[in-house]
Amino acid sequence: MSELVSTRIRNTAGKLGLPHLAETINEYTRRADEGKMGYLDFLDLVLSEELAVRDDRCFRQGLRLSRLPHHKTLDEYDFSFQPDLDPRKVKDLATLSFVEGKANAALLGPPGVGKTHIAVALAVAACRAGYSIYFTSLDDMVRNFKAAEAAGRLTNKLGTYLRPSVLVVDEVGYQPLERAEANLVFQVICKRYEKGSIILTSNKTFSEWGQVFGDEVLATAILDRLLHHCDVISINGPS
């Protein structure tokens, strides 16, 4: 390829928002020459590489916006430390069929058993698959709601938790909520019902959620919507 044509392609790629192609066109042509590629094979190579670069860029951007505390994967989870946990159940969740179906996943168990690790790993997998994700502890979500309500921006703040395809709510039950706070959580659960997935972790059994939300009737209403389409995994092993 002549330098003039190479320069023209780089300029055109830049205008099209394809910086990777602009940087690597000479590498592509070298590989095409070595492989004696036809025109269609060469085009397939360029488009496939550009798609992979774009997907990786979107993935990294999604992780930056997700507020995840870390980016651990299921490969890093030590299932041998929790012999009562069936890895197949977790790996079934990792297929993300529940996300596709706008269903939920709940991870229950005492502190230190790896609930948050699994929740984050599922969120990372969802982000890799192109879904938008957002992570919050229940305490942080309630605190943000109260601050937004005081500033007259509650509707805007609700959008933060309603927009993502997958909302991860960590540490449900570590602090009991007041009735007004529980009502704000109820709004999120209701508005996301069958419209987006929730992954939550809790150190409380569902029978104890009346204490968490300060009202048995409200807790039942939350659970009705949350559990209608939900995979529940209990982890009862050592911390």
Side-chain angles (χ1 to χ4, degrees):
M1 180 184 296
S2 70
E3 185 58 35
L4 178 61
V5 174
S6 179
T7 299
R8 190 162 64 239
I9 290 175
R10 283 196 294 269
N11 290 338
T12 302
K15 292 177 182 178
L16 290 173
L18 301 172
H20 181 71
L21 175 59
E23 295 169 0
T24 57
I25 185 60
N26 290 335
E27 171 64 16
Y28 286 149
T29 55
R30 182 191 64 78
R31 290 167 60 184
D33 287 340
E34 290 179 354
K36 294 182 172 56
M37 291 182 183
Y39 297 127
L40 291 179
D41 288 335
F42 177 68
L43 183 60
D44 181 57
L45 167 68
V46 172
L47 293 179
S48 296
E49 292 278 354
E50 288 302 310
L51 180 60
V53 169
R54 189 197 68 174
D55 287 348
D56 187 64
R57 185 164 58 241
C58 290
F59 171 61
R60 288 184 279 109
Q61 176 70 1
L63 288 182
R64 280 196 295 270
L65 297 174
S66 68
R67 302 183 69 86
L68 288 170
H70 52 75
H71 301 153
K72 291 180 180 178
T73 66
L74 287 182
D75 289 338
E76 299 172 79
Y77 187 84
D78 186 2
F79 285 96
S80 66
F81 196 68
Q82 300 296 344
D84 291 336
L85 174 60
D86 187 349
R88 292 173 298 182
K89 292 183 178 180
V90 179
K91 292 175 182 178
D92 281 346
L93 287 178
T95 65
L96 304 178
S97 59
F98 79 98
V99 177
E100 184 178 352
K102 297 178 174 57
N104 306 314
L107 302 161
L108 309 181
V113 296
K115 301 184 301 297
T116 300
H117 182 149
I118 294 175
V120 168
L122 293 173
V124 170
C127 186
R128 172 66 77 182
Y131 293 101
S132 56
I133 58 175
Y134 193 81
F135 178 96
T136 181
S137 68
L138 182 64
D139 186 52
D140 282 345
M141 182 167 70
V142 168
R143 188 184 306 113
N144 288 335
F145 277 151
K146 292 172 70 175
E149 190 172 35
R153 296 184 290 104
L154 180 58
T155 300
N156 288 338
K157 181 52 66 175
L158 271 169
T160 299
Y161 304 101
L162 299 179
R163 281 190 296 271
S165 300
V166 180
L167 175 66
V168 183
V169 183
D170 198 29
E171 299 180 343
V172 175
Y174 282 81
Q175 294 290 339
L177 303 183
E178 298 176 359
R179 177 60 188 261
E181 297 171 337
N183 271 321
L184 292 171
V185 177
F186 178 64
Q187 287 189 51
V188 174
I189 303 297
C190 281
K191 292 179 185 297
R192 289 191 64 89
Y193 176 63
E194 295 187 331
K195 294 180 181 177
S197 295
I198 295 175
I199 302 172
L200 68 85
T201 72
S202 179
N203 67 327
K204 302 292 187 184
T205 63
F206 293 133
S207 63
E208 298 174 289
W209 276 33
Q211 303 167 30
V212 174
F213 291 98
D215 186 290
E216 292 289 347
V217 174
L218 183 57
T220 299
I222 289 173
L223 286 170
D224 281 347
R225 289 157 179 79
L226 185 71
L227 298 180
H228 184 206
H229 309 291
C230 187
D231 290 291
V232 180
I233 294 181
S234 297
I235 310 174
N236 300 310
S239 171

